[in-house]
Amino acid sequence: NWFYGLVNNPGAAQFDFAAYFDQFLLSEDVSQLMCFKKGRHMYRLTTLPMGQRHSVEIAHNATRKIMDFPDRECDSAATIDNVIIFGISREAVLRDCVRFIARVKEINGTLNEIDVQTATPADIEPHIKQQLHLSRHSVFMAEAQDLNAHRRRVRRRSESLE
């Protein structure tokens, strides 16, 4: 799992897709099947519905496909719209992050952390280096880890549970 991958690797960076389900536009023929009625009006969805059972699987598989890029040097984990990249060197993580951001840009995706459509490699590097510095004490998927102490805690609001 991703936690034990981080324990053995000095560098990691994480990303979160912005409004991920809204990034999946439905084709006209599929959209016609995604309708609901409110009052006397019928509405048609144009993006992947977040609450529908199959939507999570579609989004998760899309994330895994985005992460499957050639020349990857590092390991990664994806959970729906959250991605973490970790590797044996900070330089390798940085290179894979640049590749990942380029893949997101190719599909016109958006991330919460950085504007991939306008970012240049010069913009990306300081952002990734800051994350790499914080990776030994960070939060991924609401789980806080202290990798120097080899422990994981679940964080809920301001308090933590051991």
Side-chain angles (χ1 to χ4, degrees), residues 34-45:
M34 301 286 190
C35 299
F36 64 94
K37 187 175 182 181
K38 180 157 171 85
R40 289 186 266 155
H41 300 282
M42 186 69 89
Y43 296 92
R44 186 168 47 99
L45 299 176

Side-chain angles (χ1 to χ4, degrees), residues 63-70 72 76 103:
T63 302
R64 290 183 59 188
K65 188 68 174 167
I66 293 166
M67 293 303 302
D68 187 24
F69 50 85
R72 193 170 79 178
S76 63
R103 294 273 294 199

Side-chain angles (χ1 to χ4, degrees), residues 150-161:
H150 289 64
R151 71 175 183 212
R152 183 168 71 177
R153 295 175 298 178
V154 177
R155 179 178 289 171
R156 294 169 129 318
R157 294 192 188 174
S158 63
E159 69 274 359
S160 292
L161 304 173

Side-chain angles (χ1 to χ4, degrees), residues 19-146:
Y20 198 39
F21 289 87
D22 290 340
Q23 295 187 44
F24 293 89
L25 300 178
L26 300 177
S27 64
E28 184 75 26
D29 55 330
V30 172
S31 182
Q32 290 176 4
L33 302 172
M34 301 286 190
C35 299
F36 64 94
K37 187 175 182 181
K38 180 157 171 85
R40 289 186 266 155
H41 300 282
M42 186 69 89
Y43 296 92
R44 186 168 47 99
L45 299 176
T46 58
T47 61
L48 188 65
M50 187 172 179
Q52 200 159 48
R53 185 175 296 175
H54 68 279
S55 296
V56 171
E57 185 176 356
I58 291 169
H60 180 70
N61 286 332
T63 302
R64 290 183 59 188
K65 188 68 174 167
I66 293 166
M67 293 303 302
D68 187 24
F69 50 85
D71 302 326
R72 193 170 79 178
E73 300 177 59
C74 300
D75 291 322
S76 63
T79 304
I80 308 169
D81 64 342
N82 297 287
V83 170
I84 190 164
I85 299 170
F86 47 91
I88 57 171
S89 75
R90 291 172 179 235
E91 294 77 20
V93 172
L94 178 60
R95 287 189 296 270
D96 273 6
C97 287
V98 169
R99 291 179 185 116
F100 168 71
I101 289 169
R103 294 273 294 199
V104 173
K105 184 175 183 171
E106 285 175 22
I107 62 165
N108 293 319
T110 57
L111 298 171
N112 284 321
E113 293 79 12
I114 193 164
D115 182 353
V116 298
Q117 301 306 318
T118 61
T120 65
D123 299 328
I124 296 168
E125 190 168 337
H127 172 76
I128 302 305
K129 284 186 174 179
Q130 179 186 8
Q131 281 203 32
L132 290 171
H133 177 69
L134 299 174
S135 67
R136 301 299 290 176
H137 301 279
S138 62
V139 176
F140 180 65
M141 296 295 300
E143 292 183 348
Q145 67 262 358
D146 179 350

